[in-house]
Amino acid sequence: MLEYAIVPSSLYDSVIDHLRVNFPDEPLNASVGLCVHGKPCPLLECHDMKTMQDGLSIMAMDKKTGKIAGVALNGISIKGDTEKAIEEMKSIDNLQYRRIFGLLNDVNLELDLFAKYNVDKIFEIRILSVDSSYRGKGIAKELFSQSEMIAKQNGFKVMKTDATSLYTQKVAESNGFHVEKAVNYHDYKDENGCKIYDTQPPHLHYKVMAKLI
Ligand code: ACO
């Protein structure tokens, strides 16, 4: 039996423990090797903590075992955040982090959903993760649907997600999100013509997906 609730600050560390074990499977991370199963990943964990502090993240908790079955880390994106992130990236010398967030920031800067939908803030589903022993049971879909309820309660007009996995794209689509932009990972090459993102099938595209609520 699963219970869905806002992640309380007392469980932030438990969520980080869950992510250390389960999030490294995310296709973009798996392709560049930013995080390794079971090990701390300080740059990403800083991003996770800041997101949880917005107070909009949802967890699915197994009531019988007390285990975190899955999480949607939801943050508030403010107009100008992408430009700020690109500026901050200049002082981060971790190549793997730059490769992941460099791609996401560039695509989002070009899209500029704030201008497109004339809003100052967007509800962003930033990190979606389900424990490997609970996958394929619709938990991610329910985390999306619970996130939408929270977004509505908090007066947001637009939700978005950087769907780096085909499975997240399916979850988003079934929750009424549409594709704002899709890029093919294998189109990105380094100066030697080698793929920068060698993602494994079926994860061949990164899609920015949004929903007006
Ligand atoms: N093989 C084939 N299809 C799958 C698989 C699989 N292994 N896993 C999920 N799917 C499909 C489901 O069939 C379903 O599609 P449908 O609507 O067509 O039936 C859809 O994906 C969603 O299924 P759920 O059961 O709701 O997803 P789940 O609870 O298993 O969680 C998740 C999906 C979060 C992507 C999980 O696999 C995971 O934690 N992966 C590692 C981390 C990751 O990649 N996170 C997403 C990155 S993007 C982001 O964070 C915003």
Side-chain angles (χ1 to χ4, degrees):
M1 178 69 175
L2 295 178
E3 187 175 72
Y4 291 83
I6 295 268
V7 180
S9 54
S10 57
L11 289 183
Y12 289 174
D13 288 340
S14 306
V15 169
I16 295 293
D17 287 342
H18 157 92
L19 293 172
R20 277 184 194 163
V21 176
N22 296 288
F23 197 70
D25 297 340
E26 184 276 321
L28 202 46
N29 177 74
S31 77
V32 305
L34 173 64
C35 303
V36 179
H37 283 105
K39 298 257 168 66
C41 184
L43 282 168
L44 192 62
E45 288 171 11
C46 177
H47 177 74
D48 299 337
M49 277 293 189
K50 276 193 196 147
T51 299
M52 284 191 279
Q53 282 159 4
D54 283 345
L56 302 171
S57 297
I58 306 281
M59 62 180 185
M61 168 81 82
D62 188 329
K63 277 173 75 173
K64 217 158 93 187
T65 61
K67 192 172 184 181
I68 293 175
V71 291
L73 300 195
N74 303 321
I76 305 171
S77 281
I78 310 279
K79 198 175 168 66
D81 276 355
T82 309
E83 290 82 347
K84 228 176 5 186
I86 289 172
E87 204 45 46
E88 282 167 10
M89 187 82 82
K90 291 180 183 158
S91 60
I92 295 176
D93 58 9
N94 180 302
L95 179 64
Q96 287 86 5
Y97 187 86
R98 290 172 70 99
R99 286 198 157 159
I100 294 178
F101 285 94
L103 174 64
L104 270 48
N105 288 337
D106 285 352
V107 170
N108 279 287
L109 185 71
E110 190 197 318
L111 260 179
D112 195 359
L113 295 179
F114 297 99
K116 180 170 179 182
Y117 294 116
N118 193 25
V119 291
D120 292 328
K121 60 173 192 170
I122 291 177
F123 185 99
E124 185 172 37
I125 300 180
R126 290 198 187 131
I127 299 280
L128 183 69
S129 171
V130 170
D131 185 291
S132 55
S133 59
Y134 289 80
R135 288 180 191 162
K137 301 176 193 296
I139 295 175
K141 269 189 198 167
E142 185 58 26
L143 286 165
F144 252 66
S145 147
Q146 297 269 339
S147 297
E148 182 172 338
M149 277 193 320
I150 298 296
K152 282 182 178 153
Q153 283 165 13
N154 284 274
F156 287 86
K157 300 274 178 276
V158 181
M159 293 177 76
K160 71 148 282 225
T161 190
D162 288 302
T164 56
S165 145
L166 175 71
Y167 307 149
T168 311
Q169 290 157 20
K170 286 185 174 183
V171 172
E173 197 182 341
S174 69
N175 277 279
F177 283 59
H178 62 269
V179 177
E180 290 283 349
K181 187 173 170 77
V183 301
N184 185 332
Y185 288 124
H186 296 182
D187 285 346
Y188 293 85
K189 306 264 170 62
D190 65 16
E191 57 278 8
N192 302 315
C194 298
K195 285 179 198 165
I196 294 177
Y197 310 106
D198 194 11
T199 55
Q200 299 305 302
H203 308 292
L204 300 177
H205 296 92
Y206 151 45
K207 296 182 180 176
V208 180
M209 299 181 73
K211 180 173 183 177
L212 305 186
I213 54 173

